[in-house]
Amino acid sequence: MSMLNRSAILIMYSWENASINYTTYCIFDTASLLRYAGTLTIILGFIGNFLSILVFSRKALRSRSCSIYFLVLNLSDICVLIGYTLENLLFHGYGIQFLSSAFMCKSIIFLIYASTDISNYLLTLAAIDRCILISYRTVHRFCRASTAKLLIAIVVILFSLINSHFLYGFHVDQSGLCLPSSMKYIEFYVHHYDSYIDIIKTVLIPFVIIFICNIFIISTLTRKKSLLRRASTLQRRIRQEKDRQLTFFLLLTSILFIVLSLPSEINDFIRTHLSQQFQIKYACQLWISTTIFILLHQIHHASHFYVYTLTGPIFRQEFQKFICHYKKPNYKVDLFDYSRRPTIISPHINHDDIDDQQLDIFPRQT
């Protein structure tokens, strides 16, 4: 069992377009690292993303375009974690091969790449949404829920088509491993798609857009001190407080994206340009570094709920409401205390405004 746990199967692609499965014995127990750290990441990720979906689906948040992006982002993150579990964790951590059939091989590889792209570009759309929102005193047409749903549909369809080549380019070889199906496809996949195309498409383009938007958002917030200072009514202050916290979520999520995802993509790019002799000589070091970078990448897709909970008072309030199932006795007392304020009981406000105002009943958290 010890020999099995510490053996590493390193798939190498040479510049002559041939794939080699190189098995070696390593002193690093990467299987145990995957079993413990990887399993914990997956479990916490599934729980956190599922809870985030429930919170962002609540009435107080779901009407905002940025909340819709975050909601679908968590769905996409679940798909990434599912693909990682079946393709990497179960095989290298537990010795269970789920990609032994052609259907599972093609569909899981497609799911990993497509859902990763979709997650990154949903985050990019959220950055653009926040950037445009704080540039206008009124809600811009781009920052509407209907526009967000349309753009999400476009992103899902577009990156499903872009990554559809995995559905015919991969197969299960004679040893039972899921690999590229032909020499021609190896040339495309290794030396083009998984090299510079993927790092540009998946990381650099979203990174540049998110970085520019974040710089603009930070400079605008710094110049104006606070979005709340532009508010003239209680209703507007509550709305802008929500928008401010959603913007803060975006900034933190963007930082996580850059710090946790970029190393894995850079590692993939470098490995495709290493010589076969170098990969054989340092097979164990390459395997342990690749495993760590993959774990960091999965932490990015698993950690959003915990970031939202630690940093967002409104998110915590909505999560508390969900857990407590609207404790009406306490709510009625607070509502009676505030019932004399005309801005709270105005008959001209819609249901979304009522829900916004109820957030102010809870004590502020800093």
Side-chain angles (χ1 to χ4, degrees), residues 54-240:
L54 294 178
V55 174
F56 282 118
S57 299
R58 293 179 61 79
K59 185 177 180 181
L61 295 175
R62 67 179 180 228
S63 61
R64 281 159 177 76
S65 55
C66 195
S67 294
I68 296 176
Y69 291 128
F70 283 133
L71 190 154
V72 183
L73 172 64
N74 285 283
L75 285 172
S76 184
D77 285 341
I78 288 176
C79 293
V80 175
L81 295 177
I82 291 174
Y84 162 77
T85 302
L86 297 178
E87 190 266 344
N88 190 282
L89 176 62
L90 292 180
F91 179 57
H92 294 291
Y94 294 92
I96 303 173
Q97 174 62 292
F98 264 87
L99 276 63
S100 56
S101 67
F103 172 77
M104 290 296 293
C105 171
K106 296 173 184 288
S107 59
I108 295 303
I109 297 299
F110 166 78
L111 178 67
I112 292 172
Y113 278 85
S115 56
T116 300
D117 285 345
I118 291 169
S119 291
N120 293 348
Y121 279 88
L122 288 176
L123 188 59
T124 304
L125 287 176
I128 298 172
D129 177 274
R130 294 294 94 187
C131 187
I132 293 176
L133 181 67
I134 68 171
S135 302
Y136 291 84
R137 291 183 178 274
T138 58
V139 178
H140 191 270
R141 184 174 301 176
F142 182 87
C143 305
R144 294 177 180 175
S146 57
T147 304
K149 293 175 184 177
L150 175 62
L151 292 176
I152 288 170
I154 293 174
V155 165
V156 172
I157 294 173
L158 176 62
F159 287 101
S160 295
L161 292 175
I162 290 176
N163 292 284
S164 61
H165 59 88
F166 290 109
L167 297 175
Y168 65 82
F170 270 67
H171 77 139
V172 178
D173 68 358
Q174 294 180 349
S175 61
L177 296 176
C178 183
L179 296 171
S181 58
S182 64
M183 294 297 181
K184 185 176 181 181
Y185 189 76
I186 290 177
E187 166 66 23
F188 165 73
Y189 172 70
V190 177
H191 305 314
H192 299 287
Y193 191 85
D194 205 39
S195 181
Y196 60 88
I197 293 178
D198 193 49
I199 197 170
I200 292 173
K201 167 183 62 69
T202 306
V203 177
L204 292 183
I205 293 177
F207 169 76
V208 171
I209 297 175
I210 291 172
F211 179 79
I212 293 173
C213 290
N214 284 347
I215 291 297
F216 180 81
I217 289 171
I218 293 172
S219 63
T220 303
L221 293 179
T222 302
R223 185 175 65 252
K224 295 182 178 180
K225 301 268 179 99
S226 172
L227 291 173
L228 298 178
R229 292 198 175 185
R230 297 185 297 169
S232 58
T233 64
L234 175 63
Q235 175 184 333
R236 189 174 180 184
R237 286 199 301 272
I238 297 172
R239 284 183 174 276
Q240 291 189 348

Side-chain angles (χ1 to χ4, degrees), residues 15 190 194-196 199 262-275 278-279 286 293:
W15 285 97
V190 177
D194 205 39
S195 181
Y196 60 88
I199 197 170
L262 192 58
S264 177
E265 297 295 335
I266 294 176
N267 177 69
D268 290 343
F269 177 79
I270 293 176
R271 280 188 56 188
T272 59
H273 292 79
L274 297 176
S275 66
F278 185 91
Q279 294 189 55
L286 290 173
F293 290 143

Side-chain angles (χ1 to χ4, degrees), residues 5-70:
N5 288 344
R6 299 193 178 189
S7 63
I9 301 177
L10 192 67
I11 301 174
M12 298 178 292
Y13 300 96
S14 68
W15 285 97
E16 289 76 23
N17 301 332
S19 63
I20 301 174
N21 301 336
Y22 179 72
T23 304
T24 185
Y25 177 77
C26 300
I27 61 174
F28 311 113
D29 194 356
T30 54
S32 295
L33 175 64
L34 278 172
R35 278 198 300 273
Y36 295 109
T39 303
L40 181 63
T41 299
I42 291 298
I43 293 174
L44 294 178
F46 280 135
I47 294 174
N49 282 310
F50 180 70
L51 291 175
S52 292
I53 291 170
L54 294 178
V55 174
F56 282 118
S57 299
R58 293 179 61 79
K59 185 177 180 181
L61 295 175
R62 67 179 180 228
S63 61
R64 281 159 177 76
S65 55
C66 195
S67 294
I68 296 176
Y69 291 128
F70 283 133

